[in-house]
Amino acid sequence: MSQFSLYEEESHPTPLQRTWREFRASHIAFVGLVVLAVFFFFALFAPLVVPYDPIQQNLNSLLIPPSWERNGTIDHLFGTDALGRDVFSRIIYGCRVTFGSSLLLVIIAMGLGVTIGTVAGMLSGVRSSVVNHLLDALMAIPTLLIAIIIVAVVGTGLVNSMWAITLALTPQFIHYTRTFVRSEMKKEYVLASRLDGANAWQLFTHSILPNMIEMLVVQGTLALSIAIIDVSALGFLNLGAQPPLPELGAILADGLDVAYLAPWNVALPGLSIFLMVLAINIVGDGLRSALRKRVSR
């Protein structure tokens, strides 16, 4: 009986299993997922990985080159900065701050956006039209510009910048959720549920939400890459994370003062941001392709 059940499971895979098989078939997407998993590991276990305190200064170890250069040392794998701080430790903690804060604010923005977008999608008439025009106006403005305006009003700091980027990203989730819900409300299975007496909450939780998860995963990966860029940009402009908190954008800004003497202080945090955003975009493209292939089959 157990062998028969196993055979049935293999011959009739679930939608999630089919999506994973299609995603895994793309080698580039799978490599992107591995790179993203490495950054997630650093964000989660940074205190266990770093060899030094990321904010500890050592005036006897100023601007030591990375270990692969002639004057470098294995004690400081990525070298040190102008204050003698270990660059490897600062980048690992920077990944923790940048990636962790970006992931958290995307989750919050998604929650707010899905809630408001669902309500707006189920409404009709003047209220829905007002929401639609407001979303069109907000989405025409770059999220970074919205975040800068909000930070200029509420003040600088990592927490304020996170709330600013959250508010800047929320309209996108509202727009996609509202469009999806309005489309689903016209389908036969939703109409059948309404005829059976299902209320708005039951329609959302049992009929609409299960079909919305895939869309939210794809849009969430795109929003995460935008959030990382915005968090880093605000840190670079000294509007986000403040010293001595290590954040990739702030680390990159600190390295500009010694860019000619110690280019690794600029290249390595910049490369970290690039790889992080690239991996997320590759994973997002792989998910969209896998979902499209799964539906077509």
Side-chain angles (χ1 to χ4, degrees):
M1 183 65 180
S2 60
Q3 293 179 352
F4 178 75
S5 301
L6 181 61
Y7 176 77
E8 284 288 317
E9 183 178 355
E10 289 295 331
S11 59
H12 300 286
T14 63
L16 182 60
Q17 290 174 333
R18 292 199 300 268
T19 302
W20 169 247
R21 289 178 181 177
E22 296 291 347
F23 179 85
R24 190 175 55 184
S26 174
H27 300 297
I28 296 178
F30 188 76
V31 171
L33 182 63
V34 172
V35 174
L36 189 60
V38 171
F39 281 113
F40 184 79
F41 174 83
F42 286 156
L44 200 60
F45 300 105
L48 303 178
V49 176
V50 297
Y52 300 97
D53 187 340
I55 63 175
Q56 181 181 2
Q57 301 179 15
N58 186 357
L59 300 182
N60 295 323
S61 302
L62 302 181
L63 299 180
I64 295 178
S67 59
W68 56 83
E69 293 195 1
R70 184 178 59 181
N71 297 326
T73 172
I74 194 63
D75 293 336
H76 297 282
L77 186 63
F78 287 175
T80 61
D81 62 7
L83 297 177
R85 296 172 297 191
D86 183 64
V87 175
F88 177 76
S89 300
R90 288 180 60 78
I91 288 179
I92 296 299
Y93 261 92
C95 293
R96 179 187 180 95
V97 174
T98 304
F99 184 78
S101 60
S102 299
L103 183 61
L104 177 61
L105 67 88
V106 166
I107 292 174
I108 297 174
M110 185 182 296
L112 292 174
V114 169
T115 302
I116 300 174
T118 301
V119 175
M122 290 184 173
L123 294 177
S124 60
V126 178
R127 290 175 295 182
S128 181
S129 178
V130 170
V131 172
N132 187 34
H133 290 300
L134 180 60
L135 289 176
D136 290 340
L138 290 176
M139 293 186 66
I141 306 174
T143 58
L144 181 59
L145 180 58
I146 297 176
I148 290 176
I149 295 173
I150 296 175
V151 169
V153 174
V154 301
T156 60
L158 179 61
V159 176
N160 288 341
S161 66
M162 288 177 61
W163 281 115
I165 299 172
T166 299
L167 295 177
L169 288 176
T170 299
Q172 298 185 16
F173 285 105
I174 297 176
H175 171 75
Y176 291 120
T177 302
R178 177 182 176 275
T179 303
F180 183 87
V181 171
R182 287 177 65 87
S183 175
E184 293 297 303
M185 290 292 290
K186 300 176 183 178
K187 294 185 177 180
E188 295 181 355
Y189 76 95
V190 175
L191 296 177
S193 298
R194 296 180 68 176
L195 292 175
D196 287 339
N199 55 33
W201 173 252
Q202 291 171 334
L203 283 176
F204 174 71
T205 55
H206 294 90
S207 300
I208 298 176
L209 182 60
N211 295 320
M212 190 191 302
I213 293 177
E214 295 175 353
M215 181 271 293
L216 292 178
V217 170
V218 174
Q219 296 302 327
T221 56
L222 297 177
L224 183 57
S225 63
I226 296 174
I228 290 173
I229 294 175
D230 290 351
V231 169
S232 302
L234 290 178
F236 181 82
L237 297 173
N238 200 29
L239 298 175
Q242 299 296 305
L245 182 66
E247 189 275 322
L248 292 178
I251 296 173
L252 182 60
D254 292 339
L256 287 178
D257 296 332
V258 292
Y260 291 104
L261 296 175
W264 60 87
N265 282 278
V266 177
L268 293 176
L271 181 62
S272 300
I273 297 173
F274 172 76
L275 290 177
M276 195 181 299
V277 173
L278 180 63
I280 293 172
N281 287 333
I282 289 175
V283 170
D285 290 340
L287 284 174
R288 283 196 300 273
S289 177
L291 293 174
R292 190 161 48 244
K293 291 179 180 178
R294 195 205 73 186
V295 172
S296 64
R297 293 182 181 180

